[in-house]
Amino acid sequence: MRTLLVLLLTIAGVSPVLGQGTRPPNFDSLAAEATAWLQAYLRIRTVNPPGNETAGAEFLQAVLAGEGIEAEIFEYAPGRGNLYARLPGTGARRPMVLLSHIDVVPADSALWRVPPFSGAIVDDAIWGRGAQDTKGLAIVQLATMVALKRRGIPLSRDLILIANADEEISSEGSRWFTAQKTELVRGAEFLLNEGGDNVMGADGRSVSYGLAAGEKVPYWLRLTVRGEPGHGSRPHPGNAAQRLSRVLGRIADWETPLVLTPPAAAYLEALATREPDPVHRAWLGDPAAALRDPAAVAWLTADRYQNAILRNTVSITVLHGSSSTNVIPAEASADLDVRLLPGQRQEDFLVQLREVMRDTTVVIEAISTPRTAIASPVRGPVVQAFSDAVEAMDPGALVLPRMLTGYTDSYDYRRIGIDAYGIDSWRATEEVHATVHGTNERVPVAEVRFGVEFYYRLVEQLVR
Ligand SMILES: [Zn+2]
């Protein structure tokens, strides 16, 4: 009896005769499939370096092939494969892209409670390196494409699925793909990628759902001072380490100018809707005015995240001087991790930095790829569909537009004119979120169930 009912429902879901397109997917069974796919995907070692992403791409390709969706794998180097698949629509609207990356960061199994490449289910969570970053997202995207294909409803736009190699080290996969295979994403209107951050309180109640419309870019600099070497017992003013220290002191004390970008303004304005304190609510509600008020600035920038989305930032990180305590070095250097906001130019930042350093003998050298950050619109169809999906899954929950202080493959796609949004398919407590790039990375099984429905609703609204 039960088997027969399931069979009938299955037929109704796929048959063009029996009410095609009227029945939403069975998210419970889709989540069960997605869970098994994620376990299998986590068992494929795609640690970067060396990456070995082709093995992961072949797994995704095999699942898609089983659903009658043809996927191609493009290698930019041996073993470094990017996966590409397309579900065709009517062409009434421009295509959209679902993006993830196949590679994962290393995992020290000695520190993990559950082996990092086991995909094991322990304590109602799926464990493995990449469970959140980004194999879990990739599987939910895969399940969404599969569900749309099975349902057979006409799509107003092509749905493209891409899984890139090498996000964790240098984004070579996305850079190569967007340069060499541009025709495959040409005309795409928008893209959904990692990086939204859905923050769940420790009590398990959802607090906020994040959507990243922009991200900062790294602009790493090396400062070098050459001086006069000597014996540490006889100090002299030509000591390179001491001259560098003075310059670094000025940089450390530098409060870089405040710049209000649309994603940061949208973030603060969204926070205002939940802020109980009337003074703080007024500041958050009108960030442009708040940035002219020293008291408001002090309060806003006391939060590290808010500080980082309101200005270009500088962190002094690597220091080199003498290798012996009693030797004055001939040269001293320091690396600065500079992060620039969307729209900020490297050359303008350099002018400001030189003024702050007040030492023209310091040699400044860029040690990262030159980039200018771009933000995507904080309003539009993706933001609307995201808000609607959140409201359907968790009525009344807070939607937070965000800016990432880090950097993802979205950069390469924004650069070729595609609006990109960071949206995560699961919710995480601080404890679970902290396992990304750390030990015991996992995603609760319940969040895979949440994710397949949430993400399907979001994408379906965009491709209908
Ligand atoms: Zn990562």
Side-chain angles (χ1 to χ4, degrees), residues 89-118:
T90 62
R93 290 193 285 169
R94 292 160 60 195
M96 69 172 284
V97 181
L98 307 180
L99 180 72
S100 66
H101 61 85
I102 305 171
D103 60 318
V104 298
V105 294
D108 181 354
S109 55
L111 302 174
W112 283 53
R113 245 183 77 199
V114 174
F117 300 97
S118 63

Side-chain angles (χ1 to χ4, degrees), residues 197-201 204-210 270-271 273-274 383 386-401 427 450 454:
D197 235 350
N198 302 319
V199 182
M200 186 187 267
R205 277 189 54 245
S206 295
V207 175
S208 64
Y209 292 81
L271 284 185
T273 65
R274 306 293 163 107
V383 182
F386 178 78
S387 303
D388 291 349
V390 168
E391 186 59 26
M393 300 296 292
D394 191 350
L398 175 62
V399 169
L400 270 184
R427 302 159 299 185
F450 169 86
F454 167 68

Side-chain angles (χ1 to χ4, degrees), residues 101 133 167-168 437:
H101 61 85
D133 183 11
E167 193 272 345
E168 295 291 0
H437 285 221

Side-chain angles (χ1 to χ4, degrees), residues 30 79 122 134-135 169 174 177 199 240 269 287 298 302 323 334 342 396 402 413:
L30 187 62
V122 174
T134 60
K135 288 182 168 175
I169 292 194
S174 65
F177 190 86
V199 182
E269 286 160 11
S323 54
R402 295 181 83 95
Y413 293 86

Side-chain angles (χ1 to χ4, degrees), residues 67-413:
E67 302 293 328
I69 302 168
E70 198 191 320
E72 291 178 84
I73 296 172
F74 300 101
E75 288 190 330
Y76 71 87
R80 312 303 305 265
N82 294 308
L83 175 114
Y84 165 85
R86 182 184 281 251
L87 197 58
T90 62
R93 290 193 285 169
R94 292 160 60 195
M96 69 172 284
V97 181
L98 307 180
L99 180 72
S100 66
H101 61 85
I102 305 171
D103 60 318
V104 298
V105 294
D108 181 354
S109 55
L111 302 174
W112 283 53
R113 245 183 77 199
V114 174
F117 300 97
S118 63
I121 296 181
V122 174
D123 293 344
D124 301 318
I126 308 161
W127 295 59
R129 174 57 84 221
Q132 294 183 65
D133 183 11
T134 60
K135 288 182 168 175
L137 174 66
I139 292 302
V140 166
Q141 294 178 338
L142 175 75
T144 299
M145 180 177 254
V146 165
L148 285 165
K149 172 74 160 68
R150 287 178 184 169
R151 231 181 137 185
I153 49 170
L155 312 179
S156 64
R157 58 172 101 239
D158 289 5
L159 182 65
I160 297 169
L161 182 76
I162 298 174
N164 278 142
D166 194 46
E167 193 272 345
E168 295 291 0
I169 292 194
S170 64
S171 288
E172 190 67 29
S174 65
R175 197 158 54 243
W176 181 89
F177 190 86
T178 52
Q180 302 300 318
K181 297 289 163 190
T182 326
E183 75 278 5
L184 296 178
V185 286
R186 180 158 291 138
E189 189 174 353
F190 37 71
L191 169 148
L192 311 185
N193 186 22
E194 63 175 312
D197 235 350
N198 302 319
V199 182
M200 186 187 267
D203 58 359
R205 277 189 54 245
S206 295
V207 175
S208 64
Y209 292 81
L211 171 139
E215 54 194 40
K216 296 175 87 174
V217 289
Y219 178 38
W220 294 348
L221 299 174
R222 178 161 299 155
L223 309 184
T224 306
V225 172
R226 292 194 181 87
E228 186 190 336
H231 197 284
S233 67
R234 295 184 193 180
H236 62 74
N239 182 334
Q242 293 181 182
R243 279 175 42 218
L244 178 65
S245 307
R246 269 182 230 115
V247 166
L248 292 178
R250 291 181 203 122
I251 293 172
D253 291 341
W254 181 26
E255 292 191 7
T256 56
L258 295 160
V259 180
L260 188 62
T261 59
Y267 172 79
L268 298 173
E269 286 160 11
L271 284 185
T273 65
R274 306 293 163 107
E275 174 58 48
D277 181 292
V279 174
H280 296 166
R281 187 164 62 239
W283 287 342
L284 292 166
D286 188 353
L291 293 192
R292 293 190 293 269
D293 175 346
V297 168
W299 180 74
L300 285 170
T301 59
D303 178 283
R304 283 181 202 175
Y305 171 71
Q306 286 172 194
N307 180 59
I309 63 170
L310 289 170
R311 53 174 26 130
N312 301 325
T313 56
V314 189
S315 289
I316 301 165
T317 52
V318 180
L319 292 173
H320 286 293
S322 176
S323 54
S324 301
T325 308
N326 62 356
V327 173
I328 294 172
E331 186 178 293
S333 71
D335 290 359
L336 309 181
D337 183 352
V338 175
R339 304 285 172 142
L340 299 181
L341 289 168
Q344 296 287 300
R345 292 167 2 131
Q346 298 182 352
E347 48 271 44
D348 297 338
F349 179 82
L350 267 191
V351 170
Q352 297 172 3
L353 179 67
R354 284 213 171 87
E355 269 171 33
V356 168
M357 294 197 314
R358 282 191 277 125
D359 185 338
T360 52
T361 67
V362 178
V363 176
I364 306 176
E365 172 195 1
I367 52 172
S368 61
T369 312
R371 300 180 181 99
T372 301
I374 304 162
S376 299
V378 292
R379 285 175 232 299
V382 173
V383 182
Q384 188 60 51
F386 178 78
S387 303
D388 291 349
V390 168
E391 186 59 26
M393 300 296 292
D394 191 350
L398 175 62
V399 169
L400 270 184
R402 295 181 83 95
M403 170 155 33
L404 299 186
T405 58
Y407 166 83
T408 72
D409 283 346
S410 289
Y411 172 81
D412 291 303
Y413 293 86

